[in-house]
Amino acid sequence: MDLGARAIAFYLPQYHPVPENDAWWGPGFTEWTNTVRARPLFPGHRQPHLPGDLGFYDLRVPEARAAQADLARAHGVAAFVYWHYWFGGGRRLLERPFAEVLASGEPTLPFCLAWANETWTGTWHGAPDRVLAEQTYPEGDDHAHLTALLPAFRDERYLRVGDRPVLVVHKPGELPDARRFVDRWQALARAAGLPGLYLVAEVSDWFDWGEGFPDAEAVGFDAGIQMRLPVRFGRREFWRRRIGRRLGRGPEHYPVDPGFLERRPLPPTRQPCVMPNWDNTPRSGRRGIVMTGSSPDVFRRHVADATALLAGRPEQERLLWVKSWNEWAEGNYLEPDAEHGTAWLEALHEGLQVPATRVPAGRAADPAPA
């Protein structure tokens, strides 16, 4: 059966040691370090989440990257979107896995890039004033940045809309002048022989209180990813839990809303994002945020509803973003785990099918105590 959307899964290239993380967090640190030390912090809280079939892989190993791509392709993932860290002036971090994918030609699964243009701090580790890597925007840096990405943009595997390579900007509101950024990058791309770029802004709206960057189209972006937590909460409940978290009483936790996308029509240039789960307490402990009650069945419904929202659009613009392929310390991953096996991947594949496979409301998992 045909799939009704192109599922593009965000991919964290962090699972290998680098000197910077060794210096900041200790020798050999990777995201697995946070993942395995997580513990339950309230009744009904499920931690730790541990990997299944792929194990505790190291992304310097080509066979690990190939196994990921095989699983992704078999379950309807059309492409990985690799987080790309360029801090200005040519400074990069965590670039090795994608550089090796690009240089080797393997795996053959399509890909694109998402520029994670934000300063790294110790916020989620209790040190908000500790700047680890500052995001800067030096004058004239755009040319060097785009030139560095040209080999990727020209690769036959690169995800395109029309003939234009897709580039996601994580924090468009942090750009010194978003309109000038769009104009410069489009001009530079055309000067390099490309037909332009398909630029996508992340317009996060985590708690449904309004988009963080509502002007995406007005400044020239081709589309915006509407990313929010699929949870239910009241305003009073939200502030009670937010204050409690800041006072150290424990993580905020909210029950999943199985039907959150069913009621949310999107403008033609807004693209939906779905997430299997959310729980960043492995990184943040009692300062984290947790979505309770998620399950493969609930995720299947979210995917089906998102696919239905894209049904009337041009085929190449039916982009469904998935957060994420492997964000284990945020609790959002598609990879097999010890609890569910490949059920998250199977839910994605079934939800993408046309006609959309909907899960009856009565089958949604009961949320854990809130």
Side-chain angles (χ1 to χ4, degrees):
M1 183 175 285
D2 293 337
L3 302 182
R6 294 200 282 177
I8 317 300
F10 285 95
Y11 183 106
L12 180 68
Q14 207 269 11
Y15 298 89
H16 65 293
V18 296
E20 292 85 355
N21 276 334
D22 287 349
W24 296 329
W25 311 116
F29 176 90
T30 74
E31 201 75 331
W32 296 128
T33 309
N34 288 326
T35 300
V36 299
R37 69 187 179 194
R39 295 294 181 268
L41 297 176
F42 55 87
H45 186 204
R46 296 179 178 180
Q47 280 292 355
H49 297 291
L50 300 177
D53 299 6
L54 297 176
F56 294 97
Y57 52 74
D58 184 325
L59 288 181
R60 296 172 297 185
V61 179
E63 290 82 359
R65 302 192 299 259
Q68 290 176 316
D70 288 345
L71 266 175
R73 184 182 290 107
H75 292 89
V77 175
F80 286 149
V81 50
Y82 292 88
W83 285 115
H84 162 67
Y85 304 93
W86 175 283
F87 292 94
R91 185 184 185 188
R92 308 189 210 191
L93 283 173
L94 306 179
E95 73 278 10
R96 177 172 172 175
F98 179 71
E100 293 185 357
V101 167
L102 188 62
S104 69
E106 297 290 340
T108 59
L109 185 76
F111 55 75
C112 64
L113 294 171
W115 180 24
N117 61 318
E118 64 179 339
T119 294
W120 286 12
T121 70
T123 296
W124 289 113
H125 301 272
D129 297 327
R130 184 183 181 190
V131 175
L132 305 175
E134 184 180 5
Q135 179 66 58
T136 63
Y137 303 91
E139 188 68 28
D141 196 49
D142 290 328
H143 183 269
H145 191 180
L146 184 134
T147 299
L149 297 184
L150 281 176
F153 291 158
R154 290 170 174 159
D155 192 285
E156 64 180 9
R157 294 166 291 173
Y158 203 93
L159 181 73
R160 292 171 172 82
V161 171
D163 292 325
R164 294 183 292 159
V166 175
L167 178 67
V168 177
V169 178
H170 176 47
K171 294 282 188 180
E174 298 294 320
L175 297 169
D177 186 327
R179 185 185 297 276
R180 287 189 62 209
F181 165 83
V182 170
D183 291 343
R184 284 195 304 267
W185 276 66
Q186 293 291 20
L188 288 167
R190 288 190 290 270
L194 299 172
L197 300 172
Y198 187 85
L199 291 173
V200 183
E202 183 182 317
V203 289
S204 297
D205 181 14
W206 284 100
F207 284 97
D208 199 22
W209 283 9
E211 292 180 349
F213 188 73
D215 301 324
E217 295 83 1
V219 301
F221 281 92
D222 296 283
I225 303 173
Q226 189 152 81
M227 194 178 292
R228 68 152 293 193
L229 285 174
V231 295
R232 296 192 305 264
F233 64 93
R235 294 294 188 263
R236 180 177 296 180
E237 175 189 17
F238 172 86
W239 285 113
R240 177 174 62 83
R241 297 186 185 196
R242 177 57 50 94
I243 292 169
R245 175 169 71 88
R246 291 178 175 174
L247 293 176
R249 295 172 185 164
E252 297 174 49
H253 47 102
Y254 303 96
V256 69
D257 179 358
F260 93 107
L261 274 170
E262 189 176 40
R263 304 181 297 273
R264 297 179 66 84
L266 292 178
T269 57
R270 285 289 187 271
Q271 296 164 350
C273 179
V274 293
M275 57 186 70
N277 197 10
W278 180 272
D279 181 348
N280 65 353
T281 59
R283 291 178 183 164
S284 311
R286 294 185 178 278
R287 295 178 298 277
I289 298 174
V290 181
M291 180 168 70
T292 61
S294 189
S295 70
D297 278 350
V298 172
F299 180 57
R300 182 185 299 110
R301 179 175 176 182
H302 289 169
V303 174
D305 287 341
T307 302
L309 287 173
L310 293 168
R313 302 188 185 186
E315 184 175 357
Q316 289 207 352
E317 295 190 64
R318 296 176 196 164
L319 300 183
L320 172 54
W321 303 88
V322 184
K323 184 169 170 61
S324 298
W325 174 258
N326 62 342
E327 287 269 12
W328 285 85
E330 283 183 353
N332 58 92
Y333 55 84
L334 292 174
E335 292 179 329
D337 67 13
E339 180 179 6
H340 296 288
T342 59
W344 295 111
L345 283 163
E346 292 163 11
L348 174 73
H349 195 218
E350 292 168 13
L352 286 168
Q353 291 175 11
V354 179
T357 303
R358 291 184 178 273
V359 178
R363 288 187 58 192
D366 292 331

